[in-house]
Amino acid sequence: MNDLSPDRDDRIANLKGLGCSRKRVEDARFTQGKGNYVDDIKMPGMLHGDFVRSPYAHARVVSINIDAAMALDGVVAVLTAKDLEPLGLHWMPTLAGDKQMVLADGKVLFQGQEVAYVVARDRYVAADAVELVEVDYEELPVIVDPFKALEPGATVLREDLEGQTSGAHGERRHPNHIFLWEEGDKAATEAVLDEAEVVAEETIYYHRTHPCPLETCGCVASMDKVNGKLTLYGTFQAPHVVRTVASLLSGIEEHNIRVVSPDIGGGFGNKVGVYPGYVCSIVASIVTGKPVKWVEDRMENLMATAFARDYWMKGRISATKEGKITGLHCHVTADHGAFDACADPTKFPAGFFHICTGSYDIPVAYVGVDGVYTNKAPGGVAYRCSFRVTEAAYFIERMIEVLAQELNMDAAELRRINFIRKDQFPYHSALGWEYDSGDYHTAWDKALTAVNYDGLRAEQAERVEAFKRGETRKLMGIGLSFFTEIVGAGPVKNCDILGMGMFDSCEIRIHPTGSATARLGTISQGQGHATTFAQILASEIGISADSITIEEGDTDTAPYGLGTYGSRSTPVAGAATALAGRKIRAKAQMIAAYLLEVHDNDVEFDVDRFVVKGAPERFKTMKEIAYAAYNQAIPGLEPGLEAVSYYDPPNMTYPFGAYICVMDLDVDTGQTEIRQVYALDDCGTRINPMVIEGQVHGGLTEAYAIAMGQEIAYDEMGNCKTGTLMDFFLPTAVETPHYTTDFTETPSPHHPIGAKGVGESPNVGGVPMFSNAVHDAFRAFGLRQSHMPHDHWRIWRIAEGLGLHG
Ligand code: PCD
């Protein structure tokens, strides 16, 4: 029997466990400027590195003269590919099975590419010395268009791969081709499309953009030659993976490498991969015997570190006249830039793009993705989605709108009649996924009701009439989006990075006085793990979250894990945390039974204690049990109270959501105003509603940026036109719309606490929502598809193209 006395509620509240909007414990230091970021790390004798970078997008490097740079007072070394070559480090493997130059080896392939690495007494001397390195280039023809890259006779970009007709992901059918990756039944899909009553066809471009975290990438490498230990501090989203890769590349045994991710000022996928700056800093520290710091500036971050998207998606979707979808065909031309440095699980060169059937019951589908080299920066990171899922969601949510237009049907209704039904879960998609749980109709109806959808449509129709009568120059768009995310990579059997299986871990130590320290294989970049993982544990082990310290990011102390990206922390490390907690509880139960002199099965857990069944006045609190674990000899039990769990998830989790916005748009200036944003998320069991709301606000703001203005653009010569925050749109509080958040709660059936990830969802659902609003505003005038970002100029041009300027 549970203790039903009034203080039970107090005891639950005191735990600050699952479902509680506990304030973020990390904010005390962040809001007081007391965070400890990479650039805050200062070590005795520390030197500073800086890169000479290519001004050209494609050129032969004829010669490099470092004499003048070396002569500058304070310069310690200048590294070029020649210096790295004897170590075998002038090229490095990428996460995608390609290789990438660490420093220019004979030629450069994108503007901003690393050519030489200067090491000096301080950052300023290093920057001056960079200017003194003389590089003689011979310009080569530039290709920035992936379609042109595949033309017969196109300039060969990767001469190092010349003659190689296959790569890490199969056949290459052109010197600038990386792979063709296919999923689904092509023949069956084409047969359905050929016979279909209605087919809508469209090319959807998701432009190149960049995660642009507030803190750029950087590291401090310190080789201690006395004890042979390499310490590497850095902005790493996956510190253990960095340790393993560093060991494999350098030959230093892994126990002699310590990788530490201190506080990280936002990651968003930008800090998953390995950059030349890390390799050069390690080499420089080994060569000089001093710690070496490298922190890139904003321009370097935008121009040279991992971009996101750049997917040309050609779609065909078929349906009956009534709007029941019968098939989906998609071909993607994926611009990967100069090296294939995508950060995806190894077996998935296009990430999880084949979730592109979205939230709909589509019987047959096919997707093919061609990866292509161009003279642009390498990368291809998630940027707030699980491996290409935002591309997939944008694609299907645009295709749905285009199909609705083709059918002359309401797009909300078209979605409703095609949603996967609640009783179909677990649902097997035509492209091979098993969706764990969902209740799309309930979420959609809740959203449509919340915004008064019918009322909005009526208002919009009136607005169109008023516009036609010349009474207003403003149109109104209703942006609809319903998305399904797929987060929580593993399972190990089909998800790995360079052979390292994607599980995650948690290790807990309960201290004698009843507080605890838990360490995880993940690493927060601002998400608030120190707050929320303590909440999972509090509910599992009955110790207040305030008495639990969460540590992450130091490979000398944390158990091995695959890191934080792809919203995998909650689905994988969160599960490990709950299960490690349950191991603690199992031992605590035996201790309690011993102390209470009853059989193990005669005690039961209640909030923060074990109680004798049927005798609620007889109990031992977790605090008492912890003390006894260390200080009392208990027959048959080892002293101590610790547990560790390595969790290999059986499946991913499939969070979903219904997003709707209302946008007013000025036909003459192209200016837009977001009147309302309603975002309903379902991430299963909610750990901390306040943190979730913060995640949704952040993700929606990034979605707004991407849809409405943010892009990495190049001119014909391969010059990056958006390398500063003057040109690259990063919304401030001024531009950011107001958001209303809501939720439904459909637990994951396979996760120990039923939780799914949420951090990426708002980007996945948000981008199509904003873009669909722009398209919807012009639907009455016949607009089918217009590429993002929808800045004022592009919107003005749509209006011009539709003849709306009179
Ligand atoms: N949660 C809760 N509940 C649930 C879920 C969740 O509460 N159900 C919460 C948790 O705990 C945490 C968060 O929320 O805290 C999140 O989670 P998740 O979803 O799991 O995720 P994670 O893993 O942790 O993280 C990651 C993500 C990502 S991926 C990204 S991009 C982004 C997001 O996260 N990033 C960031 N968010 C954020 N935030 C911040 N602040 N910062 C950052 O950076 Mo990628 O792939 O990397 O692209």
Side-chain angles (χ1 to χ4, degrees):
M1 262 308 283
N2 285 342
D3 172 10
L4 296 177
S5 61
D7 86 325
R8 188 166 187 273
D9 288 341
D10 294 343
R11 291 195 280 120
I12 292 172
N14 184 45
L15 279 187
K16 302 193 182 166
L18 287 185
C20 156
S21 284
R22 181 184 186 219
K23 284 203 177 145
R24 292 174 26 126
V25 294
E26 40 277 271
D27 287 349
R29 67 177 189 280
F30 293 155
T31 54
Q32 295 177 59
K34 294 281 168 30
N36 183 39
Y37 298 91
V38 167
D39 206 28
D40 293 319
I41 292 165
K42 296 183 175 67
M43 299 178 79
M46 190 172 75
L47 301 172
H48 297 259
D50 197 5
F51 278 110
V52 176
R53 293 181 181 272
S54 170
Y56 298 108
H58 195 197
R60 214 159 296 288
V61 177
V62 181
S63 65
I64 304 176
N65 185 343
I66 64 167
D67 296 347
M70 282 301 289
L72 186 70
D73 184 35
V75 173
V76 179
V78 180
L79 302 178
T80 65
K82 278 203 182 63
D83 303 301
L84 300 183
E85 196 173 352
L87 307 167
L89 290 176
H90 55 320
W91 289 74
M92 62 181 184
T94 68
L95 294 180
D98 194 4
K99 54 180 180 154
Q100 173 178 354
M101 289 180 210
V102 174
L103 290 172
D105 182 24
K107 71 190 277 192
V108 286
L109 286 154
F110 66 94
Q111 189 186 49
Q113 188 179 330
E114 299 79 2
V115 174
Y117 185 70
V118 174
V119 187
R121 188 179 57 213
D122 63 43
R123 186 79 165 83
Y124 304 97
V125 174
D128 288 346
V130 161
E131 298 298 319
L132 295 174
V133 175
E134 292 159 25
V135 187
D136 195 6
Y137 298 97
E138 188 182 291
E139 283 183 72
L140 295 167
V142 171
I143 306 179
V144 289
D145 176 341
F147 297 99
K148 287 193 179 146
L150 290 183
E151 281 172 7
T155 305
V156 177
L157 304 184
R158 291 289 299 279
E159 289 161 5
D160 59 293
L161 300 179
E162 199 122 50
Q164 286 188 27
T165 50
S166 72
H169 306 291
E171 197 198 341
R172 299 172 66 223
R173 51 180 176 81
H174 183 286
N176 296 328
H177 183 236
I178 311 173
F179 59 80
L180 167 62
W181 185 75
E182 295 176 287
E183 200 63 66
D185 190 334
K186 191 175 185 184
T189 306
E190 276 165 1
V192 165
L193 284 160
D194 287 346
E195 306 280 289
E197 290 174 5
V198 183
V199 178
E201 189 173 332
E202 198 52 73
T203 296
I204 316 285
Y205 178 49
Y206 198 146
H207 58 292
R208 183 177 270 243
T209 181
H210 193 284
C212 192
L214 281 190
E215 179 203 25
T216 60
C217 300
C219 69
V220 179
S222 175
M223 183 71 208
D224 183 332
K225 287 192 174 164
V226 176
N227 61 23
K229 189 147 181 158
L230 171 70
T231 304
L232 186 63
Y233 297 92
T235 49
F236 310 129
Q237 289 183 236
H240 283 95
V241 179
V242 170
R243 187 184 71 184
T244 302
V245 172
S247 173
L248 292 172
L249 287 182
S250 68
I252 302 172
E253 276 196 279
E254 207 166 342
H255 71 109
N256 275 330
I257 302 178
R258 176 182 177 211
V259 176
V260 183
S261 295
D263 283 331
I264 296 181
F268 310 111
N270 190 226
K271 295 165 178 172
V272 172
V274 172
Y275 295 121
Y278 310 154
V279 179
C280 290
S281 304
I282 294 172
V283 172
S285 179
I286 294 173
V287 171
T288 63
K290 302 258 172 61
V292 177
K293 177 187 277 185
W294 167 73
V295 177
E296 60 179 7
D297 66 23
R298 179 60 57 196
M299 286 177 74
E300 295 181 289
N301 180 256
L302 284 173
M303 288 173 66
T305 63
F307 76 94
R309 329 294 190 234
D310 220 345
Y311 257 36
W312 290 90
M313 306 172 284
K314 193 164 188 297
R316 278 185 293 153
I317 188 165
S318 60
T320 63
K321 283 198 281 286
E322 294 73 37
K324 189 79 192 82
I325 299 172
T326 53
L328 178 72
H329 188 287
C330 177
H331 178 266
V332 181
T333 302
D335 185 339
H336 285 226
F339 307 99
D340 188 10
C342 284
D344 295 313
T346 305
K347 293 187 193 77
F348 300 91
F352 301 156
F353 183 77
H354 49 312
I355 190 84
C356 65
T357 51
S359 315
Y360 311 102
D361 184 15
I362 303 182
V364 55
Y366 163 80
V367 48
V369 180
D370 275 302
V372 183
Y373 290 122
T374 59
N375 290 119
K376 299 180 187 171
V381 293
Y383 185 5
R384 211 160 191 153
C385 75
S386 193
F387 317 115
R388 304 286 187 184
V389 176
T390 180
E391 286 93 326
Y394 185 60
F395 169 73
I396 185 67
E397 288 304 286
R398 282 298 311 135
M399 290 308 291
I400 290 283
E401 296 277 318
V402 169
L403 179 63
Q405 231 166 321
E406 191 78 38
L407 290 161
N408 198 20
M409 218 177 136
D410 176 72
E413 184 57 19
L414 179 61
R415 284 179 174 84
R416 189 204 310 276
I417 62 177
N418 284 290
F419 280 145
I420 300 162
R421 292 184 324 271
K422 193 179 172 186
D423 60 358
Q424 287 177 286
F425 291 94
Y427 173 80
H428 293 267
S429 81
L431 294 175
W433 298 112
E434 186 189 306
Y435 292 33
D436 62 346
S437 64
D439 183 356
Y440 301 165
H441 287 95
T442 300
W444 197 227
D445 289 343
K446 192 172 181 190
L448 295 176
T449 308
V451 301
N452 181 19
Y453 182 68
D454 294 338
L456 287 173
R457 283 288 175 215
E459 186 190 341
Q460 184 189 42
E462 275 167 32
R463 184 76 75 85
V464 168
E465 289 315 310
F467 182 88
K468 286 180 177 162
R469 289 193 302 267
E471 290 163 18
T472 177
R473 297 299 291 161
K474 283 191 177 167
L475 295 175
M476 172 183 163
I478 303 168
L480 303 178
S481 158
F482 197 100
F483 66 92
T484 298
E485 248 269 70
I486 166 171
V487 300
V492 170
K493 66 175 186 295
N494 50 27
C495 286
D496 66 86
I497 292 183
L498 296 177
M500 286 169 270
M502 298 180 77
F503 58 87
D504 229 287
S505 59
C506 173
E507 179 202 279
I508 309 170
R509 293 183 186 179
I510 310 293
H511 309 308
T513 49
S515 69
T517 302
R519 301 191 172 102
L520 287 85
T522 44
I523 173 71
S524 182
Q525 307 125 40
Q527 293 87 342
H529 292 174
T531 306
T532 54
F533 285 120
Q535 293 182 250
I536 298 179
L537 267 185
S539 291
E540 291 293 341
I541 63 176
I543 291 176
S544 168
D546 289 342
S547 300
I548 302 171
T549 295
I550 300 290
E551 291 181 4
E552 300 175 302
D554 184 338
T555 60
D556 266 10
T557 54
Y560 203 99
L562 270 285
T564 292
Y565 43 85
S567 266
R568 63 186 299 282
S569 304
T570 303
V572 195
T577 304
L579 294 182
R582 285 174 199 178
K583 290 183 186 174
I584 296 279
R585 210 163 82 188
K587 184 168 178 185
Q589 177 163 5
M590 293 190 263
I591 298 171
Y594 174 80
L595 297 175
L596 292 162
E597 297 179 337
V598 295
H599 190 270
D600 289 357
N601 294 334
D602 292 333
V603 291
E604 62 185 354
F605 186 69
D606 183 46
V607 186
D608 57 355
R609 61 193 57 186
F610 276 95
V611 179
V612 176
K613 288 180 188 165
E617 70 291 351
R618 293 190 60 211
F619 61 82
K620 289 287 171 192
T621 64
M622 283 301 291
K623 231 178 152 76
E624 292 167 318
I625 294 167
Y627 196 77
Y630 287 90
N631 300 309
Q632 196 157 339
I634 301 171
L637 282 186
E638 290 178 6
L641 197 49
E642 299 189 0
V644 51
S645 168
Y646 284 82
Y647 184 77
D648 178 10
N651 187 6
M652 278 181 267
T653 67
Y654 295 72
F656 59 93
Y659 289 5
I660 301 175
C661 79
V662 183
M663 181 186 285
D664 290 305
L665 164 166
D666 188 315
V667 166
D668 296 319
T669 63
Q671 270 176 315
T672 51
E673 210 171 301
I674 308 291
R675 207 198 291 176
Q676 180 186 359
V677 177
Y678 170 89
L680 177 150
D681 275 278
D682 191 318
C683 54
T685 304
R686 299 171 0 122
I687 302 161
N688 183 322
M690 179 201 71
V691 166
I692 291 171
E693 188 174 24
Q695 287 292 310
V696 174
H697 282 200
L700 284 173
T701 304
E702 284 179 312
Y704 174 74
I706 294 168
M708 305 309 288
Q710 188 176 86
E711 83 180 303
I712 294 289
Y714 292 88
D715 68 13
E716 289 290 294
M717 313 263 295
N719 294 306
C720 178
K721 298 194 288 181
T722 50
T724 77
L725 294 185
M726 295 294 287
D727 313 292
F728 185 84
F729 176 43
L730 201 66
T732 65
V734 176
E735 296 94 353
T736 302
H738 183 79
Y739 306 123
T740 304
T741 60
D742 202 349
F743 69 99
T744 53
E745 202 160 335
T746 312
S748 166
H750 61 79
H751 187 283
I753 61 166
K756 303 179 178 185
V758 76
E760 305 173 321
S761 295
N763 195 312
V764 173
V767 173
M769 167 183 69
F770 289 116
S771 180
N772 281 344
V774 173
H775 287 90
D776 184 69
F778 290 110
R779 178 172 164 172
F781 304 91
L783 176 69
R784 276 273 290 237
Q785 175 62 20
S786 168
H787 299 324
M788 294 189 292
H790 306 296
D791 55 21
H792 303 162
W793 163 236
R794 285 188 177 90
I795 289 178
W796 184 89
R797 276 211 328 225
I798 297 174
E800 178 72 10
L802 294 172
L804 301 183
H805 290 147

